[in-house]
Amino acid sequence: MTRLLGLDPGLRFTGWGVIDAIGNRLRHVADGVIATDGELPVPDRLRVLHDALVGLFSTYAPEEAAVEETYVNRNGSSTLKLGYARGVALLAPALHDIPVSEYGAMAVKRAVVGTGAATKEQVEMMVRRLLPGAVIRRADASDALAVAICHAHHRTSALKVATGTRMA
Amino acid sequence: MTRLLGLDPGLRFTGWGVIDAIGNRLRHVADGVIATDGELPVPDRLRVLHDALVGLFSTYAPEEAAVEETYVNRNGSSTLKLGYARGVALLAPALHDIPVSEYGAMAVKRAVVGTGAATKEQVEMMVRRLLPGAVIRRADASDALAVAICHAHHRTSALKVATGTRMA
């Protein structure tokens, strides 16, 4: 069994989801959203995010982390703010000696729905289907669980390839 | 006396400079550059930066911090990377309950040279003149000291204004 943390970082909302990968099976553990108050100065908001992430590591002790690669939009100022949140989200696993993998939106859709052209609604529906029993209230949390599921699939494929190579 | 930390953040090189503001006088304390290995994964580079910043706080115990506002360029991917470094640089003072001020490049030039149209060379020369005895080896460190000087000037002006208001 390996415990995985998926993150969908943003300065306003950072979605997170924890799942267990047991062989080919997946089990939902917990999910949620870290929100920071837009009225606070940016450094204080980053601290709120950092402290909450550190809290997740001590509560759930994930062994691997996965972050969705960020869509870089045309607006330099919002890209920079996304960078702040993403930098803090990438720092937290590194401080806990946890490897972080990054996956593009297409890879996540392909892993969860089977096609890179899937809609947001299809991804949400498949996340619920793949993680029975999970009550997911927020889209950001669903996105974070989708990244964790994507990482679980890639880990398994990587193991299969490694086994195949060893057996050849 | 107030100890000030200036930061010029970047993923590859983050300049830093520590000065003491004693009334209207400035004293150079230390400066340097935090470099991260471009061959390492980004989360590990952010950890190197974070750990070094935490080290500066425990070594020099600055009471206030100042960061230069970042030039947002057209390339979304480099803006995002700059955001990672800047996010980690803004986080460190917040974790130490230290207020962080941000200054644009024009404000820094005006505070150090007297004109927002100053060249990089003029800024470097004035940083050396304003901080006699400082041996500054790197441009990034000089930029960080310039931000710290800018913050020292704005603090004093703010105090003057406050005093004026009180006396009126």
Side-chain angles (χ1 to χ4, degrees), chain A residues 42-44 46-47 50-51 70 72-73 76-77 79-80 82-84 86-88 90-91 94-97 100 102, chain B residues 42-44 46-47 50-51 70 72-73 76-77 79-80 82-84 86-88 90-91 94-97 100 102:
Chain A
V42 169
D44 294 334
L46 295 174
R47 183 182 177 162
H50 174 78
D51 288 347
T70 310
V72 175
N73 73 29
S77 156
T79 303
L80 196 65
L82 193 55
Y84 296 172
R86 209 147 183 281
V88 168
L90 293 170
L91 172 67
L95 289 175
H96 293 83
D97 287 320
V100 194
E102 299 185 57
Chain B
V42 168
D44 294 335
L46 295 175
R47 183 183 177 158
H50 175 77
D51 288 349
T70 311
V72 176
N73 74 28
S77 156
T79 302
L80 196 65
L82 192 55
Y84 295 173
R86 207 144 185 283
V88 169
L90 293 171
L91 173 66
L95 289 176
H96 292 83
D97 288 319
V100 193
E102 299 184 57

Side-chain angles (χ1 to χ4, degrees), chain B residues 15-36:
Chain B
W16 60 272
V18 179
I19 64 174
D20 286 338
I22 311 145
N24 271 329
R25 288 200 311 116
L26 299 177
R27 184 171 60 192
H28 175 265
V29 177
D31 66 77
V33 173
I34 302 162
T36 74

